[in-house]
């Protein structure tokens, strides 16, 4: 587990883009797991810039998105296919047939979910999975209560998520009540996971995910059990991490340090590395 705290959300987006760019360079037919929401926008912008500069080739890249609302027509401007086309796919040379999102309009949603999992397997599995985090600790649409073994399925959105996402719709009543999401079990099969978060409204969820119990009440906490997971945090999003961990970071100067989780000092797997850059968080 590695946690990097970056000074600004621009730097967070840049760091995430650099990681993804390295994986694309290292394996031109890499299978990416992608996410929507406001947090990934800076990363997608940075990837588009690298493509425009001739530094990145998406022609063999394959992608699978995490989730999609149920019942929004494919071309709806709040649908996730529309989001991905607009913010990434239409701006780079990825082959559209290599890009996959769950179909929230499928007449048999359960069959579509099973086929989605199969398609990921057939593609060889996800090499690197991008995740955001909800204010309630959700990852993709795995709301609190989602189990570690959960698979791609239809879920009911919590009132908190409906409220959070209503900023993208005319009003809250327009936000779909259900979504299709990859499960925790599905995403934990990715070879590498990168979670990005910015803003103070993510700080509590981040603190619980990294330093609280590993529990379905905070689905992002399960990521601590993944063998190759990095959290890239803008400093406000990191501001509720325990003072002990953060202060030892400051005391050591800016750089990379190993920190054991004070609540679970004996559990080696829970140790994480904090890397700081830029100014000290407030
Ligand atoms: P956001 O959403 O990037 O729009 O904050 C993240 C999430 O809810 O997973």
């Amino acid at each position: 587990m590695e946690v990097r705290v970056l000074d600004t959300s621009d730097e967070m987006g840049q760091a995430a883009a650099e990681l993804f760019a390295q994986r694309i360079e290292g394996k031109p037919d890499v299978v990416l797991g992608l996410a929507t929401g406001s947090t990934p926008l800076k990363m997608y912008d940075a990837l588009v810039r690298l493509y425009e500069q001739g530094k990145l080739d998406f022609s063999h890249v394959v992608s699978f998105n995490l989730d999609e609302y149920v019942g929004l027509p494919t071309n709806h401007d709040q649908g996730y296919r529309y989001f991905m086309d607009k913010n990434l796919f239409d701006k780079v040379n990825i082959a559209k047939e290599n890009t996959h999102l769950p179909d929230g309009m499928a007449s048999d949603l359960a069959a579509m979910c099973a086929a989605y999992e199969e398609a990921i397997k057939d593609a060889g599995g996800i090499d690197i999975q991008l995740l955001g985090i909800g204010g309630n600790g959700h990852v993709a649409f795995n709301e609190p209560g989602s189990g570690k073994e959960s698979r791609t399925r239809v879920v009911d959105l919590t009132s908190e998520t409906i409220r959070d996402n209503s900023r993208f719709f005319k009003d809250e009543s327009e936000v779909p009540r259900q979504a299709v999401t990859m499960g925790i079990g599905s995403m934990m099969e990715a070879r590498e996971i990168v979670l990005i978060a910015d803003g103070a409204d993510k700080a509590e969820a981040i603190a619980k995910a990294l330093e609280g119990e590993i529990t379905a009440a905070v689905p992002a906490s399960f990521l601590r059990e993944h063998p190759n997971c990095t959290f890239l945090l803008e400093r406000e999003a990191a501001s509720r991490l325990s003072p002990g961990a953060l202060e030892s970071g400051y005391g050591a100067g800016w750089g990379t340090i190993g920190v054991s989780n004070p609540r679970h000092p004996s559990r080696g797997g829970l140790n994480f590395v904090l890397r700081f850059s830029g100014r000290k968080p407030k």
Side-chain angles (χ1 to χ4, degrees), residues 55-272:
K55 293 181 182 159
L56 213 47
D57 176 15
F58 287 81
S59 59
H60 298 289
V61 169
V62 175
S63 73
F64 287 89
N65 265 72
L66 286 168
D67 46 15
E68 179 59 283
Y69 288 117
V70 168
L72 280 191
T74 313
N75 59 355
H76 191 286
D77 66 2
Q78 291 310 325
Y80 289 168
R81 162 57 71 180
Y82 182 93
F83 175 101
M84 291 308 301
D85 285 351
K86 179 165 155 243
N87 294 301
L88 184 66
F89 299 156
D90 285 346
K91 296 180 169 175
V92 298
N93 65 336
I94 197 164
K96 276 290 172 73
E97 63 271 23
N98 286 348
T99 66
H100 306 86
L101 283 95
D103 177 5
M105 294 291 282
S107 52
D108 184 343
L109 286 167
M112 185 280 300
C113 291
Y116 200 69
E117 296 250 349
E118 277 309 303
I120 294 172
K121 271 200 201 104
D122 290 348
I126 290 172
D127 290 301
I128 180 166
Q129 174 69 58
L130 179 69
L131 296 176
I133 184 170
N136 62 2
H138 74 203
V139 277
F141 278 125
N142 292 285
E143 301 283 22
S146 299
K148 186 163 118 176
E149 313 294 337
S150 53
R151 309 300 308 186
T152 303
R153 67 202 187 287
V154 176
V155 292
D156 294 329
L157 303 184
T158 61
S159 48
E160 183 174 358
T161 297
I162 291 168
R163 197 174 53 243
D164 282 354
N165 289 7
S166 66
R167 68 191 194 276
F168 301 115
F169 290 80
K170 260 196 239 112
D171 62 67
E172 204 171 304
S173 68
E174 287 197 359
V175 184
R177 267 40 188 172
Q178 288 190 312
V180 175
T181 183
M182 263 189 220
I184 306 283
S186 332
M187 62 180 69
M188 290 289 276
E189 286 169 8
R191 292 177 189 94
E192 180 174 6
I193 294 180
V194 178
L195 183 143
I196 53 176
D198 65 355
D201 55 339
K202 301 294 172 68
E204 193 182 339
I206 288 293
K208 283 185 182 161
L210 288 175
E211 298 188 78
E213 293 302 312
I214 294 179
T215 164
V218 184
S221 64
F222 289 123
L223 299 173
R224 302 216 306 266
E225 296 181 346
H226 192 279
N228 186 7
C229 178
T230 301
F231 276 35
L232 298 175
L233 309 175
E234 171 275 338
R235 67 197 180 102
E236 292 291 345
S239 61
R240 299 279 291 272
L241 289 174
S242 71
L246 289 174
E247 272 160 23
S248 52
Y250 306 148
W254 298 97
T256 304
I257 51 161
V259 179
S260 55
N261 185 328
R263 298 194 197 165
H264 304 280
S266 59
R267 291 165 72 174
L270 295 180
N271 290 2
F272 51 86

Side-chain angles (χ1 to χ4, degrees), residues 7-26:
D7 199 30
T8 64
S9 51
D10 279 341
E11 286 174 32
M12 179 206 70
Q14 191 62 38
E18 278 165 19
L19 261 181
F20 274 72
Q22 280 168 16
R23 300 301 176 264
I24 295 168
E25 278 161 11

